Amino acid sequence: MLLGLVLLMCAPACGPAREVLLLTAQPSRPKEGSSMTLICETQGTSRKTDAQLEFCFFKDGRALGQGWSSSPKLLLPTVWREDSGSYWCEEKTTALRATRSPRIQIQVQGVPVWNVSLEVQPPGGQVQKGKKLVLICLATQGTGDITFSWYKGALGLNLETKTQSSLAAKFEILAVTDSDTEKYYCTADNGYGPSISELVSVTVRSPVSRPVLTVGELGAQVFPGDTVELHCEAQSGSPPILYRFYHEDVILGSSSAPSGGGASFNLSLTAEHSGNYSCEADNGLGPQLSEAVPLTVTVPTEDRKELLASGILEGLFGTLGPTIMALLFCCWLKKRIGRRPARDPSRSPPSPVPQVSNYVNSAAPLQEPSVYENVNVVSSGNEVYSLVYHTQQERPAAVEPRRTQSSDQVSEKPYCTFLPALLSFFQGLVLKLLKPWPLRKNKRFSGPISSLISPHNGKNI
């Protein structure tokens, strides 16, 4: 009797162990953007291996996935911070006997924002006035919703704040003004503290206005040899500005204004510098051309006459000088050829000296007439003797026989006759041209125009 009572009391304690359903997560502390696996398993040895079991996972009272399934595991591909909460699982058999696991708390870890930078469009931070400026705030990494903020200046004037689930955000200024020239930065924060970018400078550039050109002193009369100042200035425009100066669309030179303002160019005047002047301003945003400004270089009357006369003479001599010199050379060459003997005297036999008879009654040879002086008659009986003093004149050089001109030879007479006529013609032409504009007294010449040309070297006297 006593033994039966002991066995009855020990029966509950000595029975099989009770089954326990547990839920685990891998990893236990997942990071945002990563995957997580939930595992529902039973601890105990009394379960039959052929039992048909089904599992279901819950979060905060809401079933996850497809509900009940035969797999004790559930894969969550991506978890975020909002996936943090209370999880459990349930197990049931075909007999609708369900077992619930204890609740577990899962906290999804976020990734802080890191390496934030600010980009500017257009690149380089140079933006034209009135154009659009885009400030892009970028983060290399960070999870969850990120709050972006843009600031202007060292004092940190807040321009814009926006929150979005991305690693980049942009802020636009549709039409910039001069006041938008400043330094900018941005911040990004996903709840783990803000990350700040570096400062980026933005420069708003204005195109140059139409420049104004001033040439010397207003109303002042200028003469050849004077120096006149050309000053060009654009009233507005971002520096540096490059100025170019033109005379009748021909560039004279350029000057730069690194800090803005105007620039000058000095020009030494000649008579040819009369005409229209202009200047151009350019700072890289488009050149602007000024209005044309006329300039008259006053040439004195006497200088003008002398300049005109000298120009005419210079043109004539420059054009006719080579021709006249060629004609003079041809004449000199023809004359020199004409004086050359027909044959080489060194190869010709010596000419016999003509003998002059000393007798009165001898036949006179064909020779040049002789000069007789002091003829005295001396009588001696029936014979008469004469004393003759003979003086023979110097015999001129033998004249070369005249040769017949061949068809390929050119006579020298047209050259030598044509040259004086040509010089006389151009003398009359120059005098007619210079008649309305007489030269200065100390510049006037009275001789023929041919006297201005040396027959030896062809240079002006």
Side-chain angles (χ1 to χ4, degrees):
M1 186 71 178
L2 181 62
L3 180 61
L5 182 61
V6 171
L7 291 176
L8 184 61
M9 295 177 58
C10 292
C14 296
R18 186 179 181 181
E19 296 178 357
V20 177
L21 188 63
L22 298 177
L23 175 66
T24 60
Q26 293 181 354
S28 59
R29 299 184 65 184
K31 290 185 178 180
E32 282 187 305
S34 64
S35 64
M36 181 179 67
T37 302
L38 300 177
I39 303 174
C40 188
E41 57 186 355
T42 302
Q43 292 183 353
T45 59
S46 64
R47 170 178 297 181
K48 297 180 181 179
T49 56
D50 57 353
Q52 296 296 324
L53 301 177
E54 290 185 349
F55 301 90
C56 186
F57 300 86
F58 299 87
K59 174 187 179 287
D60 298 329
R62 179 174 58 87
L64 302 177
Q66 299 299 324
W68 292 94
S69 68
S70 60
S71 175
K73 296 181 181 181
L74 177 65
L75 175 64
L76 300 178
T78 306
V79 293
W80 301 102
R81 187 180 306 180
E82 56 269 21
D83 293 325
S84 299
S86 177
Y87 289 80
W88 74 88
C89 68
E90 291 184 2
E91 175 191 71
K92 72 177 181 177
T93 63
T94 55
L96 300 178
R97 178 185 175 188
T99 305
R100 176 181 295 185
S101 70
R103 296 174 181 264
I104 62 172
Q105 293 292 327
I106 298 177
Q107 183 68 38
V108 179
Q109 305 294 317
V111 177
V113 174
W114 179 74
N115 194 20
V116 176
S117 62
L118 179 64
E119 291 185 359
V120 179
Q121 291 181 354
Q126 303 284 331
V127 57
Q128 185 175 344
K129 183 178 181 180
K131 301 296 183 178
K132 182 172 67 173
L133 173 65
V134 181
L135 303 175
I136 303 174
C137 193
L138 300 169
T140 302
Q141 66 180 17
T143 58
D145 291 337
I146 302 176
T147 300
F148 296 92
S149 299
W150 290 264
Y151 300 89
K152 175 182 178 181
L155 298 178
L157 175 63
N158 183 258
L159 300 175
E160 178 80 359
T161 298
K162 63 176 61 175
T163 301
Q164 59 190 49
S165 298
S166 63
L167 295 176
K170 65 181 181 180
F171 168 70
E172 296 181 354
I173 301 177
L174 297 180
V176 296
T177 62
D178 293 333
S179 61
D180 292 322
T181 298
E182 190 55 270
K183 293 183 178 181
Y184 295 81
Y185 68 94
C186 72
T187 63
D189 186 9
N190 63 349
Y192 295 95
S195 181
I196 304 175
S197 71
E198 294 183 354
L199 290 171
V200 175
S201 296
V202 173
T203 302
V204 178
R205 302 198 64 199
S206 301
V208 293
S209 60
R210 190 173 189 180
V212 177
L213 176 66
T214 55
V215 180
E217 297 181 2
L218 184 62
Q221 194 174 20
V222 292
F223 300 90
D226 294 347
T227 298
V228 67
E229 180 185 20
L230 308 179
H231 184 77
C232 186
E233 184 172 359
Q235 299 300 322
S236 63
S238 301
I241 303 175
L242 179 64
Y243 293 94
R244 300 181 183 91
F245 299 87
Y246 297 90
H247 174 223
E248 302 292 355
D249 298 330
V250 177
I251 187 169
L252 299 173
S254 61
S255 182
S256 179
S259 302
S264 299
F265 179 81
N266 292 327
L267 178 64
S268 181
L269 297 177
T270 64
E272 290 78 14
H273 281 136
S274 293
N276 293 323
Y277 289 79
S278 61
C279 71
E280 182 184 72
D282 187 10
N283 65 347
L285 301 177
Q288 293 290 334
L289 187 65
S290 70
E291 294 183 356
V293 177
L295 175 66
T296 301
V297 179
T298 304
V299 180
T301 305
E302 294 183 353
D303 290 345
R304 188 184 301 111
K305 294 179 180 179
E306 180 179 294
L307 181 63
L308 180 60
S310 62
I312 296 174
L313 293 177
E314 181 180 354
L316 290 176
F317 291 153
T319 305
L320 302 177
T323 305
I324 296 174
M325 288 307 303
L327 294 177
L328 288 174
F329 177 74
C330 291
C331 290
W332 173 79
L333 184 61
K334 288 292 183 181
K335 290 180 180 180
R336 184 176 180 85
I337 294 174
R339 290 196 298 267
R340 184 179 299 173
R343 56 187 175 179
D344 193 352
S346 62
R347 298 184 180 182
S348 301
S351 300
V353 179
Q355 300 294 329
V356 181
S357 175
N358 293 330
Y359 297 97
V360 176
N361 296 325
S362 62
L366 293 176
Q367 61 181 6
E368 295 180 359
S370 302
V371 180
Y372 297 88
E373 297 177 352
N374 301 329
V375 178
N376 296 324
V377 179
V378 180
S379 298
S380 176
N382 292 328
E383 300 176 352
V384 180
Y385 299 89
S386 298
L387 300 177
V388 180
Y389 297 90
H390 172 255
T391 303
Q392 186 176 4
Q393 293 181 345
E394 182 179 352
R395 185 176 181 179
V399 179
E400 184 180 358
R402 192 170 189 179
R403 294 177 291 182
T404 303
Q405 184 177 5
S406 60
S407 60
D408 58 347
Q409 291 177 328
V410 180
S411 174
E412 68 181 11
K413 183 175 179 180
Y415 290 98
C416 300
T417 303
F418 177 72
L419 182 60
L422 181 64
L423 295 176
S424 177
F425 169 75
F426 281 107
Q427 178 183 2
L429 179 61
V430 172
L431 291 178
K432 285 183 179 180
L433 292 173
L434 299 181
K435 186 175 180 180
W437 306 288
L439 302 175
R440 294 183 181 179
K441 293 183 179 180
N442 57 352
K443 299 292 184 179
R444 186 172 301 175
F445 58 92
S446 59
I449 190 171
S450 59
S451 64
L452 298 176
I453 303 176
S454 172
H456 300 290
N457 52 18
K459 297 180 180 179
N460 293 346
I461 301 178

